Amino acid sequence: MTKKSKTIIHTSAISSVLAGVIAFGGIAAAFGETVPTGVEIKEFSLLDTAADIVGAADFTPEGNKDGHFKLLLNLANKTVINSVVLRSTDEYGKDNYQGVWRTNRVTTGWLLGIVQDKTVVTPSRTTHESEIINPGFRKDVNEPVGEFEGNLTFDLYASNNGTIKETQSYVLEIETPKGTFVTKPIKYKKPMTSGETPSIPTPSPTTTPIPSPSPSTPPIPAPTQGPTINVWLLGQELQFDDAKPIIKDGTTLVPFRKLFESLGFSVNWADNGTTQKAIGTKDGLTIELTMNSSSAKVNGKDISLSIPAQIIDNHTMVPLRFVAENSGYQVTYASEGTTATIRIGDSKDTGSTLEPTPAPVPSPVPAQIPDFPTETAEPYIAKGYVRDMQGDLLPDIVVYADNTLLYDSNIIGVTDENGYYEIELPQLATSWSMSADITKSYNGKDFKFHLKSDKEVPLTGSKGGVRNFTWTDFNGQIYIYPFFSTSDDSMPEFDLSDLEMTLTPIGPLLDGSTGKTIIKRGGPVIGGGGIDEIPVGKYTATARWMPEGYAPIPLPISNGGDYANSVEVEFREPNGVNSSKYLSELEVKIP
């Protein structure tokens, strides 16, 4: 076996750690996909949480008991293992964003420490020694864990962030040049072993007319108390059969489909795997609500929300007042005892307006960007301009004319001081696809963005063409990891969608513009959980936990150092695997 660094720990040094390891004969699952010939996982199991071996980033104890997993792997031939990733999931193997542990920065999360049990045979005796395979993160994602062969025994250690528990499910991902193999989920005392039939529970079919969202949007628990809410529309009471209206943070939320159809809308549900949208259309009016987003669109115009649309107990819940008032109705709210009455009508009814009636706040309308200077196409010439979102023309931008006939054949041009480029094309019977790269220096780092032309159509060489570029996107995303410092049964279960992040810009953003304070709820992002669509810049970050029925709870926050009430946030290069976005990472301490 070859590797770039290793540490030998003799068996006697960790005998207390490995003592008490339990062998299990039962099985919960097998591979989630076909395993190539010569590769076999004989066992993957969670053994115990009895010892503190690793920390968040290296083999340094940090005071928390680690999750101790066992992996028995058989490789018939020498095989390179590029990375190993452990994920917490639900019982069906869907990521629940509670924890990720890995060997290198191929993804995000805490260190997954790997110790190999090696048999040493000498003429006098046979002994065992334990070898630490990865003392710390392999920051180069291209550096493999190592090359292995034969029957292998590994102990895996995952620093306990508060989610290592008997009721939690886990999957293991092993990346090799032959592909990435993902196990089915296991639990404590429910390992997987080879040669058995999976026994994965089958989820019950859903009867809701809207597709049940995938766990990419973590479901929010329904509140356990609150007034009985009666909703009347034009003198008739609405009956909510599947889910009842609730009041959350002073806003009434009702089931999406029932409200929209009662108001005469046609409804649609859009899910691209990352974001889920509830959309209603009627008579030239379109209302679009994105789950866990603090803004909605009315006929394409962004309008701020006091509370986002969200999924609660697998039901899509939307703010009643926002939808009704933007549909042209008046809304009144009255409360007596434990009953609240909401009336939607053409004129205001009498009653105390206990529910706030905030006027919709439209997002600032950007100044009109002037048109590009006029250019005329010429044979065998590709030309145009490159500008930013403010309309300023950009010099020194690299522009590519890529020959669509010949692979990896392109011609490069650079914009002049007026943001103009012109590329002379060879007289070939082919077409050309245009693209550009922009590199910006910010706080001592270079950030590179790939641009597509405003008209994404290849141009014909014999006719030439004008292709302009507008730099519109320099957003990044922030992964957020919850750290559970205690086990307080009086508090509700943490849900990432109840986490409110506030980002206050420090100085100008990457493009030189003045940033604005961003307030966003956590949720699914590409490759994990956190917040996305954050313009690259430098920010001060704070966090609040806002579980239903509790006052907002400020949370200590860390960017890799000590916890504090606030930390500074900057962005780094993307992983190149899970996301092409520039990234940052934060950890919040949950009480």
Side-chain angles (χ1 to χ4, degrees), residues 223-257:
T224 57
Q225 57 184 0
T228 299
I229 302 172
N230 300 318
V231 180
W232 293 74
L233 172 61
L234 299 176
Q236 288 191 328
E237 186 174 4
L238 299 183
Q239 302 298 322
F240 297 92
D241 298 326
D242 294 332
K244 300 300 182 183
I246 63 170
I247 295 177
K248 185 170 184 179
D249 295 342
T251 296
T252 302
L253 299 177
V254 298
F256 151 64
R257 181 177 291 275

Side-chain angles (χ1 to χ4, degrees), residues 82-87 95 97 99-112 137-142 173 175 477 479 481 525-529 572-579 583-585:
N82 294 329
S83 67
V84 182
V85 177
L86 175 74
R87 296 182 185 273
D95 198 330
Y97 310 107
V100 178
W101 298 262
R102 80 280 201 219
T103 53
N104 57 22
R105 298 197 183 276
V106 69
T107 181
T108 56
W110 294 270
L111 177 73
L112 179 63
F137 280 128
R138 298 171 186 266
K139 297 184 179 180
D140 181 359
V141 297
N142 295 316
E173 301 171 3
E175 181 189 338
Q477 65 184 39
Y479 289 117
Y481 312 113
V525 300
I526 298 174
R572 60 170 173 80
E573 288 283 343
N575 292 329
V577 175
N578 288 316
S579 171
L583 302 176
S584 189
E585 296 176 277

Side-chain angles (χ1 to χ4, degrees), residues 370-589:
D371 293 335
F372 283 103
T374 302
E375 294 289 334
T376 303
E378 300 178 57
Y380 299 106
I381 297 291
K383 58 184 176 180
Y385 292 86
V386 182
R387 67 183 180 185
D388 62 16
M389 286 174 284
Q390 286 74 44
D392 297 326
L393 297 171
L394 302 175
D396 302 322
I397 305 301
V398 179
V399 181
Y400 302 90
D402 187 13
N403 189 331
T404 61
L405 179 64
L406 300 175
Y407 175 74
D408 199 22
S409 173
N410 54 59
I411 304 173
I412 298 176
V414 179
T415 58
D416 62 17
E417 66 275 9
N418 297 314
Y420 176 76
Y421 76 92
E422 185 174 295
I423 299 176
E424 183 176 351
L425 304 174
Q427 297 188 20
L428 300 174
T430 186
S431 59
W432 302 83
S433 179
M434 306 301 296
S435 61
D437 284 339
I438 179 172
T439 301
K440 284 284 188 177
S441 294
Y442 181 76
N443 288 349
K445 300 177 184 177
D446 286 338
F447 294 82
K448 185 176 181 179
F449 301 89
H450 188 66
L451 308 183
K452 296 180 180 179
S453 63
D454 293 356
K455 183 179 180 181
E456 291 186 50
V457 178
L459 58 88
T460 303
S462 60
K463 295 182 179 180
V466 178
R467 295 294 184 267
N468 298 314
F469 298 84
T470 303
W471 180 35
T472 60
D473 184 4
F474 61 103
N475 290 335
Q477 65 184 39
I478 301 176
Y479 289 117
I480 299 174
Y481 312 113
F483 176 76
F484 298 88
S485 57
T486 62
S487 180
D488 187 351
D489 293 335
S490 66
M491 297 298 294
E493 183 177 353
F494 177 76
D495 192 293
L496 193 59
S497 63
D498 288 331
L499 179 68
E500 178 191 84
M501 300 296 302
T502 300
L503 303 177
T504 305
I506 304 173
L509 303 178
L510 178 140
D511 68 338
S513 64
T514 301
K516 61 180 181 180
T517 298
I518 299 171
I519 302 176
K520 297 196 77 170
R521 293 277 187 124
V525 300
I526 298 174
I531 55 176
D532 58 6
E533 300 303 316
I534 307 298
V536 172
K538 186 176 182 180
Y539 298 88
T540 298
T542 59
R544 294 196 306 169
W545 184 22
M546 305 178 70
E548 178 66 29
Y550 291 79
I553 304 169
L555 298 179
I557 187 170
S558 168
N559 58 6
D562 294 335
Y563 284 97
N565 293 329
S566 65
V567 295
E568 291 187 356
V569 176
E570 294 190 78
F571 290 84
R572 60 170 173 80
E573 288 283 343
N575 292 329
V577 175
N578 288 316
S579 171
S580 61
K581 297 283 189 181
Y582 285 92
L583 302 176
S584 189
E585 296 176 277
L586 294 172
E587 190 172 287
V588 293
K589 182 181 287 188

Side-chain angles (χ1 to χ4, degrees), residues 23-280:
F24 299 105
I27 176 169
F31 262 114
E33 55 185 273
T34 302
V35 182
T37 303
V39 178
E40 179 187 15
I41 289 186
K42 291 186 172 183
E43 180 185 331
F44 173 49
S45 57
L46 171 58
L47 299 183
D48 57 55
T49 55
D52 181 14
I53 304 299
V54 298
D58 54 30
F59 269 77
T60 301
E62 61 179 5
N64 297 315
K65 301 297 185 183
D66 304 326
H68 176 200
F69 297 80
K70 176 72 73 177
L71 173 64
L72 303 182
L73 181 65
N74 178 257
L75 301 175
N77 305 303
K78 286 186 177 180
T79 302
V80 173
I81 294 179
N82 294 329
S83 67
V84 182
V85 177
L86 175 74
R87 296 182 185 273
S88 67
T89 70
D90 64 15
E91 59 183 338
Y92 309 116
K94 297 292 186 181
D95 198 330
N96 61 5
Y97 310 107
Q98 295 296 304
V100 178
W101 298 262
R102 80 280 201 219
T103 53
N104 57 22
R105 298 197 183 276
V106 69
T107 181
T108 56
W110 294 270
L111 177 73
L112 179 63
I114 301 182
V115 177
Q116 184 180 5
D117 179 51
K118 303 183 72 174
T119 301
V120 180
V121 180
T122 65
S124 60
R125 61 176 181 168
T126 298
T127 60
H128 291 265
E129 66 179 25
S130 297
E131 179 179 338
I132 296 177
I133 301 302
N134 58 328
F137 280 128
R138 298 171 186 266
K139 297 184 179 180
D140 181 359
V141 297
N142 295 316
E143 181 183 349
V145 176
E147 185 177 57
F148 303 86
E149 183 179 17
N151 288 307
L152 307 164
T153 300
F154 296 104
D155 289 282
L156 312 179
Y157 294 95
S159 178
N160 190 357
N161 67 343
T163 66
I164 301 289
K165 48 192 175 185
E166 296 181 4
T167 57
Q168 179 64 59
S169 298
Y170 304 90
V171 299
L172 195 68
E173 301 171 3
I174 303 174
E175 181 189 338
T176 77
K178 297 179 181 180
T180 299
F181 315 126
V182 183
T183 69
K184 291 290 182 67
I186 67 157
K187 288 184 179 181
Y188 179 64
K189 291 189 177 181
K190 292 184 179 180
M192 63 147 286
T193 60
S194 60
E196 303 248 0
T197 303
S199 57
I200 300 297
T202 302
S204 300
T206 178
T207 57
T208 177
I210 298 176
S212 293
S214 68
S216 59
T217 299
I220 301 170
T224 57
Q225 57 184 0
T228 299
I229 302 172
N230 300 318
V231 180
W232 293 74
L233 172 61
L234 299 176
Q236 288 191 328
E237 186 174 4
L238 299 183
Q239 302 298 322
F240 297 92
D241 298 326
D242 294 332
K244 300 300 182 183
I246 63 170
I247 295 177
K248 185 170 184 179
D249 295 342
T251 296
T252 302
L253 299 177
V254 298
F256 151 64
R257 181 177 291 275
K258 180 66 177 183
L259 176 63
F260 271 76
E261 290 183 342
S262 297
L263 295 175
F265 285 84
S266 298
V267 298
N268 185 36
W269 175 262
D271 186 346
N272 64 7
T274 302
T275 58
Q276 293 84 25
K277 296 181 180 180
I279 304 168

